[in-house]
Amino acid sequence: MTRFLTTPRPTEEPIIADRDPGAFGFSRRNLLGGLLAGVAVTAVVPSVANAAIIPARKGGATSMANEPFEAVDVVKIGLIGLGNRGMGMLNGWVDVPGTAVTAVCDIRADRATIAADRVAGKGKPRPREYGGSDESFQKMLDTEELDLVYVATPWEFHHAHGKAALLAGAHAAIELPIATELDELWDLVDTSERTRKHLFLAENCSYGRNELAMLKMAHEGVFGDVTSGHGGYLHDLRSLLFADGYYTDDWRRLWHTRSTASFYPMHGLAPIAAAMDINRGDRLETLTATATAARGLADYRERFVPRDHRSWKEEYINGDLVTCMITTANGRTIRAEHNVSQPRPYSRINTLEGSRGIFEDYVGADSTGARIYAEPYHGGDTWRGASAMRTEFDHWLWKDLEGPAAGGGHGGMDYILQWRIVQQMRSGLVPDIDVYDSAAWCAPVPLSVTSLEKGGKPVEVPDFTRGEWKKLRLGLDSTRSAMPAVV
């Protein structure tokens, strides 16, 4: 059966390389046009029997898909976790128009003071400080009236902090992953649905310039019928993992002593999933995991870490390279990788392939770092650098925000993530990334553990949408809109 999630153009119209996004016969824009008026369109997809792992909703809860934020003039923000990531995102939350950082919290009270000083130093009202105990975050949530809570604590606390924010009546933006256990992911989905508050992954890489251009190319039909993708997180973190104080209480290194799992594939998986319309016409269906031996961290410690260092009491069990092979309901495949324990240049991989072309990132072809080959744009079996087509398919967020984002973290995508969250909340828009996307993208963390425990056998990926995945809807492929004026 046909599995295109698009409306093919009539055959009498010739396919020509005229840079017309509709010229390839695969553009989902034609199909999605009605969605902008609130009309749900059902994709042509095979049914999947997955009821056994879909818990029933309780207490009259309903889906949060396509649920807009309630519009607010000024987004009142509270921050939980002020280590490297939390403090690094602080300026963005202050600088985006229409925000007020009203509360800051860290178990180490001095960090809250430093953060409050920075906000005041930028000429903004000083936020209230919370800290000193592992219950300080709850005191903040019980005391403050917040619109958005941003969580940047160690992974093991994300579920509790995110859920508490929802129960306090705030939306929650959570650093990766939103939770590490399957029951926790379901709990966050259910809590979001009950409270009618959004919880979403603060997935900055979904807003990378190459990633968004790749998504637009895919949705405009440049790659034809997309069949496979490859993404991940390949980042040599060895020196940071052993750097005293960088990860508070060694939290990130200690995860490598607890489990064999794909801890952090979301930076590469999420953009591929978005380009494939996961939860918006397709869904992740099965996952199979493999892991190499755990060698990298022990080898690094042997060569560079003094023998009296506390890390010598640790045994590292997580595989250096953990690979998840994921299938989708529409017959696509995704390979998601995680490796932070071996020497290699940084890469999120970002590869997408279809019946008419392929995009590959992190190959150094030109200033974008990416290369592309797509018919009828290209020929002669020769790769092209991606700069020309990235310019052509540049996402409106980058066209509009390149200046303000300049100098922002991770090449500007941190600021664009923050700007877009605030803009959606102030405008009363539907979020680009919702709790269902977030749960699906983070599911490989616990599912990889299960698959590896079963000797690498495939395991089912839950349908967190409870059937809503069959409806095409917008996500990161948003339409241009402005930030409301600050009164």
Side-chain angles (χ1 to χ4, degrees), residues 19 43 61 112 136 220 228 323 354 434:
R19 301 304 197 265
S136 296
E220 298 294 357
S228 65
T323 302
D434 60 27

Side-chain angles (χ1 to χ4, degrees), residues 205-480:
C205 294
S206 290
Y207 289 91
R209 195 164 201 161
N210 281 2
E211 286 88 340
L212 284 175
M214 178 182 72
L215 176 141
K216 283 199 64 181
M217 293 178 206
H219 288 178
E220 298 294 357
V222 170
F223 307 120
D225 190 8
V226 173
T227 55
S228 65
H230 183 190
Y233 187 70
L234 308 177
H235 188 185
D236 180 4
L237 292 180
R238 294 171 302 163
S239 62
L240 295 179
L241 289 171
F242 286 98
D244 287 347
Y246 189 83
Y247 293 113
T248 303
D249 298 328
D250 306 322
W251 70 264
R252 191 160 181 172
R253 189 179 72 241
L254 290 177
W255 273 92
H256 291 263
T257 70
R258 298 170 182 160
S259 182
T260 303
S262 182
F263 291 140
Y264 201 78
M266 293 75 74
H267 279 330
L269 172 60
I272 299 300
M276 289 184 176
D277 283 318
I278 297 303
N279 291 338
R280 290 165 164 76
D282 198 357
R283 78 169 191 86
L284 307 182
E285 194 166 70
T286 69
L287 179 147
T288 303
T290 61
T292 67
R295 296 287 186 269
L297 295 186
D299 176 74
Y300 184 90
R301 180 179 61 186
E302 178 69 32
R303 291 184 292 150
F304 300 112
V305 179
R307 292 281 174 169
D308 59 353
H309 192 266
R310 60 190 174 279
S311 64
W312 279 94
K313 299 177 181 178
E314 301 165 357
E315 179 183 0
Y316 307 114
I317 63 174
N318 192 42
D320 292 338
L321 174 64
V322 180
T323 302
C324 295
M325 289 299 300
I326 303 169
T327 66
T328 79
N330 289 342
R332 299 182 173 105
T333 62
I334 303 173
R335 186 164 90 248
E337 297 185 355
H338 177 268
N339 188 342
V340 299
S341 304
Q342 292 178 310
R344 59 162 302 131
Y346 180 91
S347 174
R348 298 193 299 274
I349 307 169
N350 294 343
T351 295
L352 198 68
E353 188 164 15
S355 58
R356 297 184 183 177
I358 182 172
F359 180 97
E360 288 188 350
D361 207 348
Y362 294 93
V363 292
D366 62 14
S367 60
T368 68
R371 63 185 182 183
I372 189 170
Y373 185 83
E375 301 171 340
Y377 284 108
H378 310 130
D381 297 325
T382 303
W383 288 102
R384 268 68 168 190
S387 58
M389 291 192 72
R390 191 181 77 173
T391 298
E392 180 179 347
F393 289 93
D394 209 11
H395 196 280
W396 70 269
L397 283 167
W398 278 97
K399 292 179 181 179
D400 291 358
L401 296 174
E402 182 176 9
H410 295 96
M413 63 187 179
D414 288 355
Y415 180 85
I416 289 181
L417 163 73
Q418 294 171 299
W419 187 97
R420 179 62 173 163
I421 291 170
V422 171
Q423 185 227 11
Q424 290 171 126
M425 293 184 67
R426 297 187 65 217
S427 302
L429 301 176
V430 174
D432 295 341
I433 299 169
D434 60 27
V435 70
Y436 309 110
D437 302 319
S438 305
W441 298 345
C442 296
V445 180
L447 292 178
S448 61
V449 175
T450 302
S451 177
L452 289 167
E453 288 175 346
K454 294 178 179 292
K457 292 182 178 180
V459 295
E460 289 185 280
V461 181
D463 174 16
F464 295 102
T465 74
R466 294 178 168 101
E468 290 290 320
W469 66 271
K470 297 179 182 180
K471 298 175 182 178
L472 279 174
R473 55 195 173 94
L474 290 176
L476 287 154
D477 53 344
S478 56
T479 55
R480 180 182 257 117

